[in-house]
Each structure stands twice: as C-alpha cells, then as structure tokens.
Amino acid sequence: MAHKIIIDTDPGIDDAMAIAYAIAHPELDLLALTTIFGNVRTHEATRNALALLDHWGSDADVAEGEASPVAIAANEPSYQVHGRNGFGGVDIPLSSRKKHDLDAADYIIDATKRFPGEVIVCAVGPLTNLARALERDPEIVSRIKAVVVMGGAVHHKGNVTPVAEANFWNDPHAADKVLAASWPLVLAPLDCTMPVLFTPDFMQAIARENTKLGPPLAAMAEFYARFYRSHLGLGGCVPHDVMALSWLTVPGAFRLQKGALSVITEGPAIGQSIFQPGGTQSRASVFDGRPDHMVMVDTDPGIFMADFMMVMTRHAD
C-alpha cells in the first residue's frame, strides 16, 4: 500500500526535486502540497505548487499556509539561492487551478480525520503550519502516522548562521513546538543532506531519461549549483528536501540516532537545533518531558542517488 503523504513546502528548487520524486514513485500517494514561506513568500509558494502539479500532471490538492512566523518577524526569502521565482528563473507555466478552501493547518487536520493513522506529513520548509495544526487540534498527534521534517543541524554546522539551518531559523518557535510534540517524528537535518551532491551530469542523465519531469529539474539545478559553487566550492547542488521522502522509501540509505530535540528561539544562536542522545541525561531543563525522536545523522550517497535515479527514470511516464 502506498504511503499517503502531504508535503509541507516552500518551492524552491530542492522542493521541486522532492515533489517530482513523490509524483514519480509508485509507493507514494501525494494527497496535497501545503505551502509556507521560506525560499519564497507563501503566496509565491502556492503559485509554484499549483504550477508544478499542473505541469507534471498531478491532481493533488494545494492548501495555502501561514504567511509569517509564529513569534518573530519574517526573514527575507532565499531568492539568492532559488532565484526570484523560486525555480532559478526556469519558467513553469502558471496554473488556472485554485487553491483548496481550507488553509494548510486545517487541511492537515482534516486529512488525519479522513485517514486516521495513515497520513504522513513530509515538512520541508519552516514548521509554522504544523505548529498551527497542533494549536488547533492537539489530538492530531494520535491520528497522524508520522511527521518527517527536513530541518536543523544536529552535529553539523548551520547553513544560514554558524549554527542554524534555514527552515528552523525562519521560524524557531514553530520548530521547537513541533519537536516537543509526542507524535512519531523523524528529523532529516543537514547531517544527512550535505553528504549528497547532485552533479550537472547526474541531472542531465535524468533529463534524458525522463522527458516529463527531468528537463525542468535539470535546468533549475544549474542555477542551484551556481550558488553552491560560489559559496561552498561544490561541484553540484544538495537535494535537501528529497531526504524527507527517501526516508519512507529507502530507509537503508540513512544512519539513525535517537534522542530529544529542542530549538533555540532567541539570541545569536536563534534557530540552532540542540540534541540530547537517548539514554543520556543533562542539566538542560529544555529537554524535560520531551520525547525521543529519530534523527538521520548520515547518508550513504551511493544508495540515495541510485534510488533517486531509478525512481526518476524507471518509473517515468
């Protein structure tokens, strides 16, 4: 049986990679994209989500989410990383389809009521929508099958500050609330995303084999790779958001560590994720009463990339 998933997303180039993977994979049943700010503003994320789904032939719903963080002023979108349109300047035709009547938080709540124990939310942007869903319906923790979060940096350095990863930095209060909740949660931090690099040759191979999904992804990846080359000296781009999907389909690609998590919500370390390994104790009261979650602390790049290539080519229409 296919996993019923909702991708909470701020598309975004690596978001587009994750959405394409979800559309292509026979074991993933994409119910909806719920949108959030981050790489772009929320209304732009909704536009991009609708455009991608129409362009790639998916009838999944799109529900628009929160326009600003829970408790801080919104940061500027990551246009320098993803381009002014979120797709590195690649033109994806606008959709005439409308967003769902429910907002993102209510859509997620409703989906868990329609499919109790079946829905997995793959959250690959700031966690504001999930925090709002928890506020509105605390019982959601007992109905949701799992939450897979791409965010944070556990043993790895940050990517927007020395200690903070972008998604958590954009709404640290929401991230802390989501990590404190007692639902089944798996975290995909920078620790597991940074070992993987999609080179231009890799993306062009996908474009040749999958003429529907591949060419726009390869074109977006060229822009994305320029950022990684200029800022980190890397010869490709990092597909961060795909990790939240791959955990469901190829879990053997990842090494896991269990423990409690928290997020710093103020000061120079704002957005930093902190981790207390399971079975250990400390005098940090921030972990009191917090559940242990699973954290993906490393990735086998060969397994991960072989799976992505297989899904994007073998399952191509």
Side-chain angles (χ1 to χ4, degrees):
M1 182 181 297
H3 299 288
K4 288 184 171 62
I5 64 168
I6 294 171
I7 303 179
D8 193 54
T9 177
D10 55 337
I13 295 170
D14 55 329
D15 303 72
M17 293 174 177
I19 292 164
Y21 182 88
I23 290 171
H25 206 298
E27 296 175 14
L28 297 176
D29 177 10
L30 181 60
L31 300 178
L33 304 178
T34 51
T35 62
I36 193 64
F37 56 86
N39 295 329
V40 292
R41 293 185 170 87
T42 302
H43 72 278
E44 295 168 331
T46 301
R47 175 202 68 199
N48 287 357
L50 288 164
L52 283 178
L53 292 180
D54 274 14
H55 193 56
W56 287 336
S58 170
D59 61 358
D61 294 328
V62 173
E64 188 165 271
E66 299 292 314
S68 57
V70 168
I72 64 171
N75 298 310
E76 282 297 305
S78 298
Y79 294 137
Q80 71 173 122
V81 183
H82 296 270
R84 188 56 185 81
N85 72 343
F87 296 147
V90 176
D91 182 36
I92 305 295
L94 294 178
S95 170
S96 61
R97 192 153 59 99
K98 303 300 182 185
K99 65 186 180 183
H100 199 276
D101 290 340
L102 294 177
D103 72 4
D106 281 346
Y107 187 97
I108 293 168
I109 291 167
D110 180 70
T112 66
K113 291 178 178 178
R114 287 186 286 128
F115 306 108
E118 296 184 55
V119 174
I120 300 169
V121 174
C122 297
V124 298
L127 298 180
T128 321
N129 292 332
L130 279 176
R132 293 299 186 204
L134 279 169
E135 289 175 3
R136 295 177 190 177
D137 183 4
E139 295 303 312
I140 193 175
V141 298
S142 65
R143 295 193 309 271
I144 203 162
K145 183 176 181 180
V147 176
V148 189
V149 172
M150 189 279 119
V154 175
H155 305 300
H156 201 279
K157 67 178 182 179
N159 64 355
V160 290
T161 77
V163 294
E165 177 275 333
N167 288 338
F168 284 11
W169 181 74
N170 275 316
D171 196 342
H173 296 83
D176 191 53
K177 184 178 183 68
V178 168
L179 296 181
S182 296
W183 43 20
L185 185 144
V186 179
L187 183 68
L190 295 180
D191 307 61
C192 77
T193 68
M194 290 304 296
V196 178
L197 199 67
F198 282 1
T199 65
D201 286 347
F202 181 83
M203 294 305 300
Q204 286 300 325
I206 291 173
R208 287 192 301 270
E209 295 295 326
N210 186 331
T211 56
K212 181 178 179 181
L213 302 178
L217 289 182
M220 292 179 202
E222 288 184 17
F223 182 95
Y224 204 28
R226 285 198 292 273
F227 171 83
Y228 279 97
R229 184 167 55 252
S230 63
H231 286 72
L232 296 175
L234 298 178
C237 57
V238 180
H240 301 281
D241 292 347
V242 182
M243 305 290 170
L245 284 297
S246 295
W247 163 249
L248 302 177
T249 56
V250 60
F254 306 103
R255 183 167 66 86
L256 299 174
Q257 193 172 2
K258 190 175 185 179
L261 294 150
S262 183
V263 179
I264 303 296
T265 56
E266 59 184 359
I270 190 169
Q272 180 180 12
S273 44
I274 52 176
F275 177 66
Q276 181 169 281
T280 67
Q281 295 182 332
S282 73
R283 297 180 66 179
S285 60
V286 70
F287 296 112
D288 291 350
R290 295 217 169 198
D292 284 345
H293 295 308
M294 301 305 299
V295 180
M296 298 153 62
V297 294
D298 200 8
T299 301
D300 184 316
I303 295 175
F304 176 88
M305 293 177 69
D307 171 74
F308 190 84
M309 178 66 75
M310 181 191 72
V311 171
M312 295 300 295
T313 58
R314 192 172 297 178
H315 300 305
D317 288 335

